């Protein structure tokens, strides 16, 4: 009985939080995309300037720089919009985002979202997997980022991303220094201790999704 009473409000929290976040993000996404058609070939051409850091097909080989391949299209549009408007800051990335038009955002997002993320065969530590998975379930990571952690709509894919990058972002959300579209990720990071951030980043980086 007690667990039933706890489960209902938690389920309601998830549904309402996720719905509110999706509605706000969908609004911005529609505003940015409605006037343009997204072009895969245009995106490929425009992506050449990004390759030095993010890899030719969006598979980054630099641990501090995120891979873009296989990210949800809406997330990529939102992230580029955040950089362009100065709501997310990074000295390396900012000058490249500053010059992008709404059509560029769409074309680039179309291109990178359609590339395949290549994750090296991971070495999984069974104990770490069990502990880290429990943390992602307890803290609702899976409710937003999906059960397989591949992301959806404006919510990024975490599975197979570089560990060093993920850890930096999680620390940034916890400290309130990483720009956040609507603040939901900043609040999600507050419940995690330093060793949990480390463990989760390691786990996420090794997740291979077929
Ligand atoms: C000089 C290196 C550099 C270049 C060139 C560059 N980026 Fe980035 N980009 C970065 C870094 C570093 C980050 C991570 C920033 C942070 O830590 O918040 C980033 C982050 C991003 C993100 C956010 C990804 C995520 O998972 O949150 C997107 C999207 C992105 N870049 C797209 C692009 C596109 C599109 C281009 C080309 C128009 C480009 N970048 C060019 C360095 C670069
Ligand atoms: C209420 C929904 C929600 C929950 C719960 C949530 N996230 Fe997020 N997360 C987001 C959104 C939205 C973003 C994109 C934020 C932005 O860039 O504006 C994000 C971004 C991230 C990023 C940055 C990835 C990148 O490519 O830049 C990481 C890492 C992350 N989340 C990990 C987690 C972990 C670990 C948990 C559980 C402890 C979690 N998230 C829980 C919605 C959520």
């Amino acid at each position: 009985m007690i667990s039933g009473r706890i489960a209902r409000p938690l389920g309601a929290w998830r549904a309402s939080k996720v719905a509110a976040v999706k509605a706000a993000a969908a609004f911005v996404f529609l505003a940015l995309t409605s006037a343009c058609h997204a072009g895969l070939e245009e995106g490929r051409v425009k992506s050449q300037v990004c390759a030095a850091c993010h890899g030719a097909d969006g598979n980054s080989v630099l641990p501090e720089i995120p891979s873009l391949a296989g990210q949800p299209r809406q997330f990529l549009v939102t992230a580029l919009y955040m950089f362009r408007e100065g709501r997310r800051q990074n000295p390396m990335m900012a000058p490249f985002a500053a010059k992008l038009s709404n059509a560029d955002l769409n074309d680039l997002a179309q291109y990178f979202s359609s590339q395949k993320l290549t994750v090296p065969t991971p070495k999984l530590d069974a104990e770490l997997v069990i502990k880290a998975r429990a943390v992602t379930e307890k803290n609702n990571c899976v409710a937003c980022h999906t059960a397989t952690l591949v992301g959806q709509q404006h919510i990024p894919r975490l599975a197979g991303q570089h560990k060093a990058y993920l850890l930096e972002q999680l620390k940034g959300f916890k400290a309130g220094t990483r720009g956040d579209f609507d603040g939901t990720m900043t609040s999600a990071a507050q419940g995690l201790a330093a060793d949990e951030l480390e463990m989760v980043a390691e786990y996420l980086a090794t997740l291979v999704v077929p």
Side-chain angles (χ1 to χ4, degrees):
M1 268 337 270
I2 290 173
S3 67
R5 245 180 265 146
I6 293 170
R8 263 194 304 275
L10 189 61
W13 175 88
R14 280 183 190 161
S16 66
K17 198 94 167 172
V18 174
V21 171
K22 279 185 182 166
F27 182 77
V28 169
F29 182 60
L30 276 178
L32 289 169
T33 53
S34 57
C36 324
H37 96 111
L40 191 61
E41 179 53 20
E42 288 92 331
R44 192 189 61 76
V45 173
K46 291 173 183 176
S47 76
Q48 283 163 8
V49 64
C50 324
C53 293
H54 292 284
D57 54 358
N59 278 287
S60 154
V61 292
L62 306 167
E64 269 87 33
I65 298 192
S67 286
L68 306 176
Q71 280 291 4
R73 191 165 69 91
Q74 187 179 340
F75 166 69
L76 292 172
V77 171
T78 313
L80 288 168
Y81 165 82
M82 293 281 287
F83 281 119
R84 189 183 70 188
E85 306 303 315
R87 289 175 56 184
R88 180 173 165 189
Q89 281 162 0
N90 179 272
M92 271 199 272
M93 186 51 215
F96 292 91
K99 302 185 210 113
L100 302 175
S101 67
N102 287 354
D104 295 338
L105 260 57
N106 283 298
D107 293 344
L108 288 162
Q110 179 77 25
Y111 173 72
F112 284 118
S113 64
S114 63
Q115 300 307 300
K116 189 158 173 45
L117 182 68
T118 51
V119 183
T121 312
K123 290 192 217 83
L124 283 172
D125 172 340
E127 202 184 325
L128 178 129
V129 170
I130 292 168
K131 281 193 195 158
R133 193 177 287 157
V135 173
T136 60
E137 282 164 10
K138 185 174 148 240
N139 292 278
N140 295 306
C141 317
V142 288
C144 288
H145 292 272
T146 78
T148 50
L149 297 153
V150 293
Q152 55 172 333
Q153 301 184 356
H154 69 294
I155 303 176
R157 173 188 180 116
L158 306 174
Q161 186 58 275
H162 289 298
K163 180 190 168 184
Y165 172 74
L166 290 171
L167 186 56
E168 266 318 291
Q169 303 308 306
L170 287 169
K171 286 181 181 164
F173 283 121
K174 199 173 173 192
T177 53
R178 152 86 200 249
D180 186 351
F181 179 73
D182 56 11
T184 52
M185 188 52 223
T186 302
S187 39
Q190 298 312 312
L192 276 76
D195 62 328
E196 288 179 320
L197 296 181
E198 173 89 32
M199 191 204 302
V200 166
E202 168 124 34
Y203 164 70
L204 294 170
T206 58
L207 275 182
V208 178
V209 178

